[in-house]
Amino acid sequence: MSQALEYFSIGWMDPQLFFLTAIGTFAGIYIGAIPGLSVTMAVSILISFTFSWDVNEALALMAGVFMGGVYGGSRTAILLNIPGAPSALVTALDGYPLALKGDAGRAIGLSTVMSFIGGLVGILILMIAAPIISNFTLAFAPRDYFLLAALGLFLVGSLSAESLSKGMFCGALGVLLGMVGLDPLTAEERFTFDTLELTSGIPYIAAMIGFFGFAEILVQLHHLDVKPVRQNLDKILPSLSLVKKYLPLSLRTSSIGVIVGALPGTGGDIASLLAYDHAKRSVKSPTAKFGEGAEEGLIAAETANNAAVGGAYIPMLTLGMPGDAVTAVIIGALFIHGIQPGPLMLTETPHLFWFTVGNLTLANLFVLIFGLTGISIFSRIVQCPKGILLPLIFVLCVVGTYAIQNSLIDVYWMLGCGFLGYFLKRYGFQVAPIILGIILGPLMDVSFRRAALSVQNDISQLLWEFVSNPVSLVLTSAIFVLLITSVIKSRQQKAAERAD
Amino acid sequence: MKRREILIWSICSILSVGAAVGIHLSAATVNATYPTRNIQGVIMWGAGGATDTMSRAITPYVEPLLNQEVILTNRSGGAGAISTKYVHHRKPDGYTLLYGAENPQLHGVLGLSDVDYREFYAVNVLARGISVIVAHPDTPWRSLKELMEDVKNRPGEIKMGSTGPGGLPYVIGAMLGTQGEFDIIPVPFDGDGPAITALLGGHVDFLPSGYTATSEHIRAGRLRALAVVNDQEIELLPGIPPLTQDYPAFKKFLPWGPFYGVFIDKDAPDSVKTKLTEAFHQGASDPAFEKFVTDFGAIQMNVSGEEANVFLKKWQSVTTWLLHDAGATKTSPEAFGIERP
């Protein structure tokens, strides 16, 4: 135990490592906040940059960038309605309405504290239960990923505001957009019309920036005369009693975040989507309606995506397998620094586990510190006159999209999705289900076909496996419970409407 | 002369002198010692993959030799076709390098693109990966022969992890298929990593895979290695028999494996080719890089020019014909002038 504590504190005691983690977290927050600049990209650039360094220094910097970057995505989501990363998508749903009401400061304060709590839960579970969870994730067969994605699709109901049919239309549109490109199983071209550029599909970050950022600019052009709301900057820090009140919810959503983050096929984006759905179903009386500035929605999203960071490290540290794209890059970095990632890493490089846990804890603390400074300045962005703000956001959208993979085609996609999103918004369609479809569609598609191939396309065998395997059984029953409760709820609502 | 005219004349003369100097300078940059500015390095695959790791590992050794920075960007998509076409369409001045893997050699027959490495000059084929055939430890097979016989006895029941047509497991599967009846269920995953995860969880039964990704699992006893895809035993995996031990007929396909290299357009000036070739050869000879390659589970090649072409040509001929005979191609290799091995 004292050994563990010693390794844990390496990053805290060494001033250089301490400083590197701080720098990493700070840089991560701003890289994460810029749509299009992803944490994955930042960490892979760091590989060549930290090439000649000591491995501990490189890992400290990367842990900081990772932790900060995931949190940073919430900034632009709340202030500008442009999620800095896909995992901050649901943050925008309730964060941006809060900002429009003049509560941007409070929303950022709350999301920072909740990100910290989520991150902490993730690290704690990594610390205590890493081997158990990594064995549990191995039990997930392709059919279970399919069931998980199907579970996620229920979110369409949560995301579609008034009209479920419009929400379903948008979800289906998203699935269709996600289909474009090379079929991941057979490399057959789908909807590519014989153009090389379409073979890599429509990058969903470009679509997200278009549907959220650019479309929002176009909508705002209708309201140029509306004066921005004065931001209320008195109570930025959430009170202790408020944190206490939300603790049960944040613990539940953090746990969802850790598990989904630890699954090798899913990351922070799906984690926050599932957590949001859970919050919407379990919270009886939110502070505002979900989608119109409910604090619970913001909390679910922010705890889950930060808890997913700890989750992603679980398979990396125990098995040497990446939990997401960022840990995949970190594994590459370990190779270059002469460490063999694998199941023996924990015994052969004993300091690595506790050192990483220590670093992540430190980085998480820096998220809290850096996150809570400068909120009042950032909140004023929303107060900025639209004539200045909108062109700036537009430039940010274009630059961010171009930065994804230095491709102008992506910028055209962003603009196209923006125009489409504008018309959809004008006619009362929600754009969030489109992104949901783009994210979940391909996962459902490949997982289902993988599962079907594994049983030689024998559908009765597949259905039997849905209920005969413990993991699948839990997921299948969850789907049925959701289905039944949704039906009952909508009947009750209809009955109540009739009674009125 | 009016004032205005004087002004226009002076502007014109300044511009023309400027242009002349500019042309002269740009001509000079070609003649002066290359490279005079930053070089762009385009990586064929995304961040975190084997190609990405290999590219980012070699570059710091080469930069001081070129006295310039190589700015690396990932440009994935179209199974590598996007980056290959991009570099091919750039000016052949040696300022855009392609950090690529084996994929373009298959683009023709898979109908993805008609640009392959024949359009490029191989600055350095750095290394080739070793592949192994691994199985879940709960399976009864102790050797490749036992696996192959079990497949014969239970056709259509054994699941092989794959990464899609043209991927490494697929090609090795096709190789195994040349030895008579080989009816298995290939289940495709997004890459080596997810396929190994599925194998660890027992969702597939065996997997031909890169050595790098599996070595630690073999060492920990979580996976069992049945054979090395090579014509002799390798130092890193003592006791694991080569593919040719039970099936000598495989010899004609070997050596086979993924490879990683650096390429420029074949129309680049000879001086540029020489400079780059020397720099990369020296960089790749650094003992620290050699150690990295070994740790990475690859066999160092460090060959360029004609020597590399021989390897690239054989690789393309073996693989495209294997795929063609397995029915996985859209166009016959013959249409691209690729000879049967």
Side-chain angles (χ1 to χ4, degrees):
Chain A
M1 196 62 215
S2 67
Q3 187 93 55
L5 201 66
E6 191 192 318
Y7 294 143
F8 181 89
S9 56
I10 298 176
W12 294 65
M13 295 304 184
D14 186 329
Q16 201 182 346
L17 291 175
F18 189 84
F19 181 68
L20 282 173
T21 314
I23 292 261
T25 315
F26 188 78
I29 292 177
Y30 290 94
I31 291 168
I34 298 172
L37 286 191
S38 67
V39 184
T40 317
M41 202 189 298
V43 174
S44 61
I45 290 169
L46 282 181
I47 287 196
S48 338
F49 186 68
T50 59
F51 179 73
S52 53
W53 299 11
D54 182 58
V55 62
N56 284 359
E57 292 166 3
L59 285 177
L61 194 64
M62 287 178 186
V65 171
F66 193 4
M67 212 64 178
V70 170
Y71 159 75
S74 68
R75 265 302 150 85
T76 33
I78 293 170
L79 293 172
L80 308 174
N81 200 26
I82 313 174
S87 61
L89 171 75
V90 275
T91 311
L93 297 180
D94 284 295
Y96 185 60
L98 276 171
L100 289 184
K101 285 179 191 167
D103 279 334
R106 218 158 56 83
I108 296 180
L110 191 66
S111 74
T112 309
V113 173
M114 286 302 159
S115 293
F116 171 74
I117 293 179
L120 208 59
V121 173
I123 295 164
L124 273 174
I125 297 183
L126 165 69
M127 216 159 92
I128 301 164
I132 302 169
I133 297 210
S134 72
N135 279 332
F136 172 68
T137 57
L138 284 184
F140 266 68
R143 61 173 176 278
D144 302 317
Y145 281 102
F146 166 71
L147 291 169
L148 196 67
L151 203 59
L153 266 196
F154 276 89
L155 258 162
V156 168
S158 302
L159 297 179
S160 44
E162 291 99 36
S163 165
L164 182 63
S165 47
K166 283 181 180 170
M168 282 164 83
F169 172 81
C170 287
L173 180 68
V175 172
L176 183 68
L177 290 178
M179 289 282 169
V180 177
L182 292 183
D183 176 340
L185 263 55
T186 61
E188 207 60 48
E189 296 181 24
R190 298 197 290 206
F191 307 111
T192 57
F193 307 103
D194 279 336
T195 36
L196 181 67
E197 282 73 19
L198 278 175
T199 52
S200 43
I202 301 170
Y204 72 110
I205 301 191
M208 190 182 76
I209 297 174
F211 279 122
F212 274 78
F214 186 44
E216 181 67 21
I217 297 174
L218 294 176
V219 170
Q220 289 289 333
L221 289 178
H222 285 275
H223 311 296
L224 281 180
D225 48 335
V226 181
K227 273 238 157 19
V229 187
R230 247 197 101 67
Q231 291 292 324
N232 170 17
L233 297 170
D234 302 335
K235 277 196 203 141
I236 287 175
L237 258 180
S239 68
L240 204 61
S241 60
L242 194 72
V243 173
K244 229 175 181 174
K245 180 185 150 202
Y246 288 136
L247 200 60
L249 173 71
S250 53
L251 288 181
R252 292 199 306 269
T253 48
S254 303
S255 313
I256 295 177
V258 182
I259 303 280
V260 178
L263 287 175
T266 52
D269 45 359
I270 294 180
S272 58
L273 283 165
L274 288 173
Y276 185 80
D277 193 45
H278 169 75
K280 190 164 181 189
R281 282 169 201 285
S282 63
V283 176
K284 290 278 173 290
S285 45
T287 50
K289 265 174 113 176
F290 276 92
E292 292 170 18
E295 289 177 358
E296 286 85 352
L298 190 64
I299 291 168
E302 279 307 294
T303 47
N305 65 23
N306 279 71
V309 174
Y313 270 95
I314 291 178
M316 180 196 131
L317 287 172
T318 51
L319 297 171
M321 306 304 292
D324 68 348
V326 181
T327 40
V329 180
I330 298 180
I331 286 179
L334 287 176
F335 265 121
I336 291 181
H337 284 282
I339 293 176
Q340 296 279 336
L344 299 177
M345 189 164 60
L346 288 187
T347 43
E348 290 176 356
T349 327
H351 82 277
L352 201 68
F353 183 80
W354 286 104
F355 172 67
T356 306
V357 170
N359 263 332
L360 287 173
T361 317
L362 190 61
N364 199 29
L365 202 64
F366 282 126
V367 164
L368 189 67
I369 295 168
F370 294 139
L372 290 178
T373 45
I375 291 182
S376 55
I377 303 169
F378 278 104
S379 307
R380 290 209 177 86
I381 290 177
V382 189
Q383 260 165 262
C384 194
K386 286 191 177 138
I388 296 170
L389 187 61
L390 295 182
L392 281 178
I393 302 180
F394 178 65
V395 172
L396 186 68
C397 287
V398 172
V399 173
T401 312
Y402 183 75
I404 305 169
Q405 45 186 7
N406 308 313
S407 150
L408 211 53
I409 308 287
D410 292 358
V411 178
Y412 298 145
W413 277 119
M414 186 275 288
L415 294 175
C417 292
F419 282 119
L420 182 63
Y422 164 73
F423 284 108
L424 289 172
K425 280 184 173 192
R426 292 293 287 169
Y427 289 96
F429 290 87
Q430 297 290 318
V431 290
I434 303 179
I435 309 297
L436 180 82
I438 299 184
I439 294 176
L440 291 179
L443 181 65
M444 275 183 92
D445 171 26
V446 296
S447 310
F448 179 76
R449 284 163 59 205
R450 244 172 236 153
L453 272 174
S454 307
V455 292
Q456 287 200 293
N457 297 323
D458 179 350
I459 212 73
S460 57
Q461 174 71 17
L462 187 62
L463 289 176
W464 168 242
E465 283 190 352
F466 280 160
V467 291
S468 60
N469 177 285
V471 178
S472 314
L473 182 63
V474 171
L475 289 168
T476 313
S477 2
I479 289 176
F480 273 103
V481 169
L482 278 186
L483 204 62
I484 293 165
T485 50
S486 309
V487 171
I488 293 176
K489 217 171 158 186
S490 75
R491 285 220 176 133
Q492 279 171 345
Q493 263 173 3
K494 270 187 192 151
E497 273 165 28
R498 242 175 263 142
D500 286 340
Chain B
M1 222 187 268
K2 279 182 199 161
R3 233 198 200 154
R4 209 183 137 100
E5 252 172 81
I6 296 175
L7 191 71
I8 291 174
W9 271 108
S10 49
I11 289 177
C12 284
S13 49
I14 289 171
L15 281 181
S16 51
V17 168
V21 170
I23 289 167
H24 182 74
L25 279 181
S26 64
T29 47
V30 176
N31 294 330
T33 46
Y34 162 92
T36 51
R37 54 184 164 95
N38 284 343
I39 298 172
Q40 195 196 354
V42 180
I43 303 175
M44 189 178 284
W45 286 98
T51 313
D52 183 59
T53 310
M54 193 60 88
S55 311
R56 289 181 195 277
I58 180 68
T59 304
Y61 293 103
V62 179
E63 281 171 331
L65 301 172
L66 292 172
N67 259 327
Q68 285 294 343
E69 235 181 292
V70 180
I71 299 177
L72 296 174
T73 40
N74 297 90
R75 199 181 269 265
S76 55
I82 304 252
S83 57
T84 314
K85 277 206 165 172
Y86 172 78
V87 177
H88 184 53
H89 287 174
R90 301 284 293 188
K91 224 162 95 187
D93 55 5
Y95 283 99
T96 321
L97 308 180
L98 177 68
Y99 285 79
E102 68 280 6
N103 316 76
Q105 298 296 72
L106 303 178
H107 286 163
V109 292
L110 294 178
L112 279 170
S113 144
D114 46 12
V115 182
D116 62 22
Y117 286 139
R118 282 180 288 190
E119 307 293 329
F120 288 84
Y121 170 77
V123 172
N124 200 313
V125 176
L126 297 161
R128 70 180 169 90
I130 306 161
S131 312
V132 282
I133 299 172
V134 284
H136 193 274
D138 288 350
T139 54
W141 318 307
R142 301 276 149 186
S143 67
L144 181 66
K145 202 169 187 160
E146 286 178 31
L147 166 68
M148 299 277 274
E149 269 159 21
D150 204 14
V151 171
K152 259 179 211 140
N153 295 335
R154 297 190 291 141
E157 279 183 45
I158 293 165
K159 284 177 262 185
M160 176 184 89
S162 161
T163 54
L168 181 151
Y170 192 95
V171 176
I172 296 178
M175 236 183 242
L176 299 179
T178 57
Q179 298 301 307
E181 191 79 7
F182 193 67
D183 185 8
I184 42 126
I185 312 172
V187 185
F189 291 87
D190 295 336
D192 260 8
I196 292 166
T197 312
L199 182 62
L200 287 171
H203 308 300
V204 290
D205 302 308
F206 77 99
L207 170 76
S209 168
Y211 165 79
T212 321
T214 46
S215 61
E216 288 298 294
H217 297 281
I218 298 169
R219 218 152 60 83
R222 281 171 163 268
L223 292 179
R224 182 188 298 142
L226 301 177
V228 180
V229 183
N230 205 11
D231 48 7
Q232 51 197 344
E233 202 176 289
I234 57 164
E235 230 175 279
L236 291 161
L237 282 171
I240 311 298
L243 202 59
T244 44
Q245 183 172 305
D246 289 329
Y247 299 92
F250 286 132
K251 193 155 176 70
K252 65 170 182 238
F253 301 125
L254 303 171
W256 189 88
F259 61 84
Y260 316 97
V262 184
F263 304 84
I264 53 169
D265 199 291
K266 70 169 187 312
D267 295 331
D270 285 338
S271 58
V272 169
K273 287 180 184 168
T274 319
K275 176 84 189 174
L276 281 172
T277 307
E278 278 170 10
F280 271 92
H281 183 77
Q282 198 182 329
S285 308
D286 191 300
F289 181 74
E290 286 183 348
K291 183 181 178 307
F292 162 78
V293 171
T294 316
D295 286 348
F296 200 67
I299 293 173
Q300 175 136 27
M301 294 187 64
N302 198 1
V303 293
S304 46
E306 231 1 86
E307 203 182 347
N309 278 346
V310 173
F311 171 78
L312 293 172
K313 207 172 159 192
K314 177 173 182 194
W315 194 98
Q316 189 174 36
S317 138
V318 165
T319 317
T320 51
W321 281 103
L322 265 176
L323 290 174
H324 186 66
D325 293 341
T329 52
K330 287 203 177 127
T331 320
S332 162
E334 231 165 9
F336 300 93
I338 302 168
E339 288 164 27
R340 199 180 256 283

